Amino acid sequence: MCGIVGYTGRENALPILIKGLYSLEYRGYDSAGVAAFTGQGLRVVKARGRIANLEERLRAEGELRCTCGIGHTRWATHGEPSDRNSHPHLGGKGKVAVVHNGIIENYKELRDRLEAHGYVFQSETDTETVAHLVDYLHTGKQEDLAQTVLAAVQRIRGSYALGVVSMSEPEEIVAARRDNPLIIGLGEGENMIASDITAIIDRTRRYIILDDNEVAVVRPDSVTVMNEFGDVVEKPVQTVTWDMSAAEKGGYQHFMLKEIMEQPKAVGDTVKPRIAKDAVLFEENGLTDERLRDIEHIHIVGCGSALHAGMVGKRVIETMCRIRCTAEVASEFRYENPIIGKKDLCIVISQSGETADTLAAMRLAKQAGAFTVAVVNVVSSTIAREADGILYTWAGPEISVATTKAYSAQLAALYLIAVKIARVRGLISLGDERALCAELQRLPQCIEQTLGCQQDMQRIAALYANRPSVFFLGRGLDYAAALEASLKLKEISYIHSEAYAAGELKHGTISLIEQGTLVVALATQPALFEKTVSNIREVVSRGAVVVLITTDDFTGDTSVCQHIVRLPKCLYEFSASLSIIPMQLLAYYVAVERSCDVDKPRNLAKSVTVE
Ligand code: F6R
């Protein structure tokens, strides 16, 4: 979702801003723009589409030299993607420029009032109201820009990360945040603002995380952060722990393929530090034995793939721990007045740690008295900082919009939780725990082995890439995995696909099966093998072509299936970690066959910071 970058220092800001924008591309966007101070004043250049369009426009406009400026990649919310609606937006008569992530909920009311004061709006965006509001509050007043922004945000309802520059302070960027991420990169004689680390890591590894309702004054040689009362606050300086190479393609054609291949490491790095002496060890996350013993209900919340990981986790936890566990869509959970008890555990899953609905769901559960534990990939993200306990997935930076390695690491984190709860509640013996830990430690190796199906999946993808729709079937854990498989395919290849609980198809959806329809069936659970095979027969009888994903030891009759992909042996409870691998590869190669923009699928954003 939208990306912000800003630079103030001694070097030419423009190439730095453009580079920063490129590194924010992965968040998803449909237009880009920059505002910079030049000899002639505040210049704004923006263009619909890719950053390359913006660069072309900049070239056409002649050289633009400046040492302070802000840039933005926009993911449209209010108003279509267009040059006009792109950020930055100018306020007043071009004295103020603003970039914004989030949604200003009372923008209509503010717009009406500002129009009544003579302001003329150029765009349909909510952001332009902020630009004019800052100008209105600034004009004719003694207050400096930061105080003005502080006054402006107090009149705003909604969420925002803001970068504001004004002709009155040509070396200064004022940044503000509420419910949208924003960091400040600290350099030598230069400082930056950015939506995330990828935009600053090229110049500095030191940064400050802005908290809700804070406003920062960023100049080349100083950064001052104030709280909502205008009091200066001391902020801890963080250091980026990962290397730039982690956010580069490393010879792969796409980030997605690189990240698929990195899954053994992501899972290994998530599991290994949590197993000591053949037992699951949670030291840092507040999941004490006492707390785990007392849990009455587990709510798992997340969105998209994180929710799908939660759906797998629900099944594994209920099987191993016999505790009622629900996996819930965060955007529904937050508004349906959920029943949350003081002894409930709320597991919040998010790669980015910034997803607006997931964050809100977590805050709700916390307020209701549940203990919240976040399974998060991005270190120090908002969800990670606000949760009662944190279980990081150590997948490293994930750049491709479609998640793969973070999803696999989420599954691993949930297995760890399941084993720990089962042991604490006396449902498994010490020996069982030892065996389960050994299986968890073996998982990276099993994933590595599963990745061996790469060429087969490429071949299968080439055969079926032109299908108008695909169905994924499974029961139990395989159904949860089928949901993720289907999401992967549709989001990057734009082929319509649906995941169905295998036994449910005949209650309506089977009418869509016709000669040549591609059905991918997942059957990894011995207790359900025969049932799923019966469902496969039902679709084959109606003309479907079936790809079967099953285990190495399945000996049933598979003669009706066109293609069979066999997974190495692993504990059946952990099989979703293996069955998803061929599915990710299938989605990837189908998207490549169809010449889709694999890493940046249309309309999608990596970090969904609006609800
Ligand atoms: C799909 C995908 C999304 C995310 C969802 C939640 O490949 O990546 O469905 O899983 O937007 O994002 P996070 O995990 O950042 O909360």
Side-chain angles (χ1 to χ4, degrees), residues 352-364:
S352 62
E354 303 292 350
T355 303
D357 284 316
T358 311
L359 175 63
M362 184 183 80
R363 286 177 176 164
L364 179 82

PDB file of all heavy atoms in Angstrom, residues 352-364:
ATOM      1  N   SER A 352       3.495  -8.346   7.773  1.00  0.00           N
ATOM      2  CA  SER A 352       3.957  -6.952   7.843  1.00  0.00           C
ATOM      3  C   SER A 352       3.901  -6.387   9.248  1.00  0.00           C
ATOM      4  O   SER A 352       4.649  -5.482   9.599  1.00  0.00           O
ATOM      5  CB  SER A 352       3.089  -6.082   6.931  1.00  0.00           C
ATOM      6  OG  SER A 352       1.742  -6.117   7.388  1.00  0.00           O
ATOM      7  N   GLY A 353       2.955  -6.906  10.031  1.00  0.00           N
ATOM      8  CA  GLY A 353       2.754  -6.329  11.366  1.00  0.00           C
ATOM      9  C   GLY A 353       2.068  -4.976  11.316  1.00  0.00           C
ATOM     10  O   GLY A 353       2.023  -4.255  12.315  1.00  0.00           O
ATOM     11  N   GLU A 354       1.539  -4.605  10.150  1.00  0.00           N
ATOM     12  CA  GLU A 354       0.910  -3.291  10.006  1.00  0.00           C
ATOM     13  C   GLU A 354      -0.516  -3.377   9.470  1.00  0.00           C
ATOM     14  O   GLU A 354      -1.143  -2.342   9.266  1.00  0.00           O
ATOM     15  CB  GLU A 354       1.728  -2.391   9.057  1.00  0.00           C
ATOM     16  CG  GLU A 354       3.172  -2.163   9.450  1.00  0.00           C
ATOM     17  CD  GLU A 354       3.341  -1.329  10.722  1.00  0.00           C
ATOM     18  OE1 GLU A 354       2.335  -0.757  11.209  1.00  0.00           O
ATOM     19  OE2 GLU A 354       4.468  -1.278  11.249  1.00  0.00           O
ATOM     20  N   THR A 355      -1.012  -4.564   9.205  1.00  0.00           N
ATOM     21  CA  THR A 355      -2.334  -4.688   8.577  1.00  0.00           C
ATOM     22  C   THR A 355      -3.403  -4.061   9.479  1.00  0.00           C
ATOM     23  O   THR A 355      -3.570  -4.454  10.640  1.00  0.00           O
ATOM     24  CB  THR A 355      -2.626  -6.173   8.298  1.00  0.00           C
ATOM     25  OG1 THR A 355      -1.565  -6.658   7.470  1.00  0.00           O
ATOM     26  CG2 THR A 355      -3.952  -6.365   7.598  1.00  0.00           C
ATOM     27  N   ALA A 356      -4.124  -3.093   8.917  1.00  0.00           N
ATOM     28  CA  ALA A 356      -5.031  -2.266   9.730  1.00  0.00           C
ATOM     29  C   ALA A 356      -6.083  -3.106  10.452  1.00  0.00           C
ATOM     30  O   ALA A 356      -6.325  -2.918  11.653  1.00  0.00           O
ATOM     31  CB  ALA A 356      -5.692  -1.226   8.839  1.00  0.00           C
ATOM     32  N   ASP A 357      -6.717  -4.037   9.735  1.00  0.00           N
ATOM     33  CA  ASP A 357      -7.786  -4.830  10.364  1.00  0.00           C
ATOM     34  C   ASP A 357      -7.234  -5.758  11.442  1.00  0.00           C
ATOM     35  O   ASP A 357      -7.864  -5.957  12.484  1.00  0.00           O
ATOM     36  CB  ASP A 357      -8.519  -5.650   9.296  1.00  0.00           C
ATOM     37  CG  ASP A 357      -9.450  -4.780   8.476  1.00  0.00           C
ATOM     38  OD1 ASP A 357     -10.162  -3.948   9.070  1.00  0.00           O
ATOM     39  OD2 ASP A 357      -9.464  -4.918   7.247  1.00  0.00           O
ATOM     40  N   THR A 358      -6.076  -6.312  11.191  1.00  0.00           N
ATOM     41  CA  THR A 358      -5.478  -7.242  12.165  1.00  0.00           C
ATOM     42  C   THR A 358      -5.076  -6.479  13.426  1.00  0.00           C
ATOM     43  O   THR A 358      -5.298  -6.946  14.546  1.00  0.00           O
ATOM     44  CB  THR A 358      -4.257  -7.947  11.528  1.00  0.00           C
ATOM     45  OG1 THR A 358      -4.647  -8.440  10.243  1.00  0.00           O
ATOM     46  CG2 THR A 358      -3.767  -9.083  12.377  1.00  0.00           C
ATOM     47  N   LEU A 359      -4.542  -5.297  13.213  1.00  0.00           N
ATOM     48  CA  LEU A 359      -4.155  -4.458  14.351  1.00  0.00           C
ATOM     49  C   LEU A 359      -5.390  -4.102  15.186  1.00  0.00           C
ATOM     50  O   LEU A 359      -5.375  -4.206  16.424  1.00  0.00           O
ATOM     51  CB  LEU A 359      -3.457  -3.194  13.820  1.00  0.00           C
ATOM     52  CG  LEU A 359      -3.071  -2.124  14.818  1.00  0.00           C
ATOM     53  CD1 LEU A 359      -2.054  -2.650  15.827  1.00  0.00           C
ATOM     54  CD2 LEU A 359      -2.466  -0.894  14.108  1.00  0.00           C
ATOM     55  N   ALA A 360      -6.456  -3.727  14.503  1.00  0.00           N
ATOM     56  CA  ALA A 360      -7.678  -3.339  15.228  1.00  0.00           C
ATOM     57  C   ALA A 360      -8.258  -4.534  15.977  1.00  0.00           C
ATOM     58  O   ALA A 360      -8.717  -4.409  17.123  1.00  0.00           O
ATOM     59  CB  ALA A 360      -8.701  -2.775  14.247  1.00  0.00           C
ATOM     60  N   ALA A 361      -8.224  -5.710  15.338  1.00  0.00           N
ATOM     61  CA  ALA A 361      -8.749  -6.919  15.990  1.00  0.00           C
ATOM     62  C   ALA A 361      -7.928  -7.223  17.242  1.00  0.00           C
ATOM     63  O   ALA A 361      -8.471  -7.579  18.294  1.00  0.00           O
ATOM     64  CB  ALA A 361      -8.692  -8.092  15.009  1.00  0.00           C
ATOM     65  N   MET A 362      -6.616  -7.037  17.133  1.00  0.00           N
ATOM     66  CA  MET A 362      -5.759  -7.307  18.291  1.00  0.00           C
ATOM     67  C   MET A 362      -6.049  -6.325  19.425  1.00  0.00           C
ATOM     68  O   MET A 362      -6.160  -6.719  20.589  1.00  0.00           O
ATOM     69  CB  MET A 362      -4.288  -7.193  17.886  1.00  0.00           C
ATOM     70  CG  MET A 362      -3.358  -7.551  19.016  1.00  0.00           C
ATOM     71  SD  MET A 362      -1.639  -7.343  18.569  1.00  0.00           S
ATOM     72  CE  MET A 362      -1.458  -5.595  18.763  1.00  0.00           C
ATOM     73  N   ARG A 363      -6.229  -5.066  19.070  1.00  0.00           N
ATOM     74  CA  ARG A 363      -6.523  -4.071  20.114  1.00  0.00           C
ATOM     75  C   ARG A 363      -7.831  -4.404  20.821  1.00  0.00           C
ATOM     76  O   ARG A 363      -7.959  -4.261  22.035  1.00  0.00           O
ATOM     77  CB  ARG A 363      -6.590  -2.678  19.491  1.00  0.00           C
ATOM     78  CG  ARG A 363      -5.215  -2.149  19.126  1.00  0.00           C
ATOM     79  CD  ARG A 363      -5.301  -0.795  18.455  1.00  0.00           C
ATOM     80  NE  ARG A 363      -3.975  -0.250  18.183  1.00  0.00           N
ATOM     81  CZ  ARG A 363      -3.738   0.746  17.345  1.00  0.00           C
ATOM     82  NH1 ARG A 363      -4.728   1.313  16.679  1.00  0.00           N
ATOM     83  NH2 ARG A 363      -2.514   1.188  17.159  1.00  0.00           N
ATOM     84  N   LEU A 364      -8.798  -4.875  20.043  1.00  0.00           N
ATOM     85  CA  LEU A 364     -10.102  -5.236  20.612  1.00  0.00           C
ATOM     86  C   LEU A 364      -9.950  -6.398  21.602  1.00  0.00           C
ATOM     87  O   LEU A 364     -10.482  -6.353  22.721  1.00  0.00           O
ATOM     88  CB  LEU A 364     -11.035  -5.626  19.468  1.00  0.00           C
ATOM     89  CG  LEU A 364     -12.435  -6.051  19.842  1.00  0.00           C
ATOM     90  CD1 LEU A 364     -13.292  -4.806  20.068  1.00  0.00           C
ATOM     91  CD2 LEU A 364     -13.057  -6.894  18.738  1.00  0.00           C
TER      92      LEU A 364
END
